[in-house]
């Protein structure tokens, strides 16, 4: 396999999570009687550009099918994050009713609704039919397409060019990252801005967040590598912010290489230097991550087996993709975690892929008292523990397994 960015032959393994089902393929009861597809999940790191990347085993059309069930509006902290971003962008870049905002992977309109409320014209691009439908119901114009050079060319011909193109958690999801980034300058105004948020590879490694690795996620990005990719496609990164979201993300601000309005901030050189100091521009930095993964897996299994032996009941919170990856790596089934709860109605009364753990609505936590609740989306553990503090007072303990196993008494 060759590097998606620079075409270098890939030979260094970064992480190997064995075979996994597609992490968003939730199963109905009838589907439990059928065979299930598993795909190898192995990550390589390029020794030339340090892009960490997964091999493509399944075409994206298969994964992002109409049953894809992640609705961004389900998380209240994510909605607040989106609203804050919109106000910051309006103030910093003086966006107004004459501006044009395009969001790539706009999901259910969780973010564009705030631009719409501020009377700023916007367009969503979202290939997933079910989430695009919800956005359209909110009155947000949404194209059900994948963003690429071809689409940007046709939009640039028929519509106003964009003053802002944004994408949250999409940059890592595109199979052809060169083509995706190359599409930006085609649709952007001369002094238009593009912002992207994506999990920071440095934080992923520091936080042992291997469970955020899944098939839909093609790339794992350091700031240095993203700068390199953008530069190669006529885009210039002029600012960067470090965010706490998804265990540590970056928000990059980019413009066209020929755009002169946006001056580079000191944050850019500071972060490039930090990554260099940490060793991210050497292949040795990426070795050893796999050993850490195996340690974490063994710690969860030891905990679950011990609780089983003691006759304790363990359930899980949050049937998110990362939970599926982790549970399948560990080979956990309903004998060790009897059920999982999730706020998304589209996942309720289905089963987690691979582990076949049943998913119920959160109300079930009050009906069937558990000794331990394993929080799978560790990035929102605070929000969950606060929301269900009544259970804690009643003797239930919360557990997270990443970065290391911790019981909140
Ligand atoms: Zn490369």
């Amino acid at each position: 396999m060759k590097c998606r960015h620079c075409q270098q032959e890939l030979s260094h393994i970064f992480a190997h999570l064995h075979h996994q089902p597609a992490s968003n393929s939730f199963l109905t009861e009838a589907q439990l009687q059928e065979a299930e597809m598993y795909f190898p999940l192995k990550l390589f790191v390029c020794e030339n550009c340090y892009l960490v990347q997964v091999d493509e085993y399944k075409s994206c059309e298969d994964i992002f099918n109409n049953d894809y069930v992640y609705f961004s509006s389900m998380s209240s902290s994510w909605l607040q994050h989106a609203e804050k971003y919109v106000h910051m962008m309006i103030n910093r870049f003086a966006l107004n009713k004459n501006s044009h905002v395009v969001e790539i992977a706009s999901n259910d309109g969780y973010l564009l609704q705030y631009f719409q409320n501020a009377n700023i014209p916007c367009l969503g691009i979202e290939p997933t039919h079910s989430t695009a439908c919800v956005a359209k119901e909110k009155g947000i114009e949404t194209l059900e397409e994948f963003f690429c050079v071809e689409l940007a060319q046709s939009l640039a011909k028929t519509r106003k060019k964009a003053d802002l193109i944004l994408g949250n958690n999409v940059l890592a999801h595109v199979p052809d990252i060169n083509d995706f980034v190359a599409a930006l300058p085609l649709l952007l105004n001369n002094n238009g801005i593009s912002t992207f948020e994506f999990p920071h590879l440095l934080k992923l490694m520091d936080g042992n967040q291997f469970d955020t690795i899944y098939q839909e996620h093609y790339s794992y990005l350091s700031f240095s590598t993203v700068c390199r990719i953008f530069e190669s496609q006529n885009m210039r990164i002029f600012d960067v912010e470090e965010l706490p979201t998804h265990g540590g993300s970056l928000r990059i601000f980019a413009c066209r290489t020929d755009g002169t309005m946006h001056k580079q901030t000191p944050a850019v050189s500071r972060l490039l230097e930090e990554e260099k100091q940490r060793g991210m521009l050497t292949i040795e930095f990426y070795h050893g991550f796999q050993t850490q993964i195996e340690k974490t897996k063994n710690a969860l299994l030891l905990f679950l087996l011990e609780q089983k032996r003691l006759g304790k009941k363990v359930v899980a919170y949050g049937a998110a993709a990362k939970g599926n990856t982790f549970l399948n790596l560990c080979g956990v089934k309903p004998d060790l975690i009897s059920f999982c709860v999730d706020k998304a109605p589209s996942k309720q009364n289905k089963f987690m892929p691979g582990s076949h753990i049943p998913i119920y609505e959160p109300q079930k936590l009050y009906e069937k008292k558990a000794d331990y609740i394993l929080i799978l989306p560790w990035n929102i553990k605070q929000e969950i523990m606060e929301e269900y503090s009544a259970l804690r007072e009643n003797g239930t303990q919360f557990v997270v397994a990443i970065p290391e196993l911790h019981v909140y008494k």
Side-chain angles (χ1 to χ4, degrees), residues 83-318:
E83 189 175 12
K84 217 171 129 193
Y85 164 85
V86 169
H87 291 304
M88 182 274 291
M89 291 302 285
I90 291 173
N91 291 330
R92 180 170 172 184
F93 297 103
L95 299 172
N96 58 42
K97 62 179 186 342
N98 300 316
S99 308
H100 186 218
V101 174
V102 176
E103 184 181 11
I104 306 166
S106 50
N107 201 275
D108 56 7
Y110 74 102
L111 186 143
L112 288 181
Q113 62 184 342
Y114 300 113
F115 277 117
Q116 197 183 41
N117 292 347
N119 292 319
I120 295 172
C122 54
L123 170 70
I125 298 174
E126 172 53 61
T128 311
H129 180 66
S130 52
T131 51
C133 280
V134 176
K136 286 175 192 171
E137 281 165 22
K138 291 176 186 160
I140 297 163
E141 187 186 1
T142 306
L143 299 177
E144 291 181 32
E145 305 264 10
F146 283 98
F147 187 72
C148 58
V149 163
E150 204 185 334
L151 180 70
Q153 279 168 338
S154 88
L155 288 177
K157 271 185 211 150
T158 54
R159 289 164 182 260
K160 221 176 136 182
K161 284 207 171 179
D163 299 291
L164 169 63
I165 301 177
L166 74 120
N168 288 337
N169 301 310
V170 60
L171 200 55
H173 283 77
V174 292
D176 189 349
I177 194 163
N178 288 345
D179 180 80
F180 181 90
V181 178
L184 299 171
L186 304 176
L187 191 58
L188 265 188
N189 268 328
N190 284 20
N191 283 310
I193 308 131
S194 197
T195 73
F196 288 95
E197 289 178 28
F198 52 87
H200 188 192
L201 179 60
L202 184 62
K203 291 289 174 345
L204 182 148
M205 293 176 73
D206 283 347
N208 191 26
Q209 302 161 7
F210 61 86
D211 60 339
T212 61
I213 295 169
Y214 48 101
Q215 281 100 354
E216 293 91 327
H217 224 153
Y218 289 87
S219 313
Y220 298 84
L221 304 160
S222 68
F223 185 54
S224 320
T225 299
V226 169
C227 284
R228 183 183 170 135
I229 294 170
F230 272 60
E231 274 161 28
S232 75
Q233 307 300 334
N234 302 316
M235 291 290 286
R236 177 172 65 84
I237 295 177
F238 64 88
D239 195 10
V240 59
E241 287 174 9
E242 294 186 67
L243 308 171
T245 47
H246 296 282
S249 298
L250 294 181
R251 176 188 286 152
I252 55 163
F253 296 75
C255 60
R256 287 165 40 163
T257 314
D258 58 1
T260 50
M261 209 168 109
H262 309 288
K263 299 275 172 280
Q264 189 179 308
T265 66
V268 173
S269 40
R270 205 161 47 220
L271 188 54
L272 286 174
E273 186 56 29
E274 186 192 335
E275 288 193 350
K276 194 177 163 197
Q277 291 299 327
R278 288 290 308 275
M280 292 194 95
L281 301 180
T282 62
I283 196 72
E284 292 73 29
F285 181 79
Y286 302 87
H287 296 153
F289 191 58
Q290 179 64 23
T291 316
Q292 214 178 330
I293 293 175
E294 287 166 20
K295 250 189 212 168
T296 315
K297 164 188 166 173
N298 294 343
L300 178 65
L301 280 172
L302 282 169
F303 171 80
L304 292 175
L305 290 170
E306 179 63 6
Q307 300 319 318
K308 180 83 181 171
R309 193 181 66 82
L310 295 170
K312 303 284 187 190
K313 185 181 168 105
V314 184
V315 302
Y317 187 100

Side-chain angles (χ1 to χ4, degrees), residues 3-8 10 46 48-51 53:
C3 173
R4 288 198 161 80
H5 171 57
C6 75
Q7 305 304 313
Q8 169 84 26
L10 298 172
C46 173
N48 178 46
C49 71
Y50 306 107
L51 178 64
Q53 52 203 292

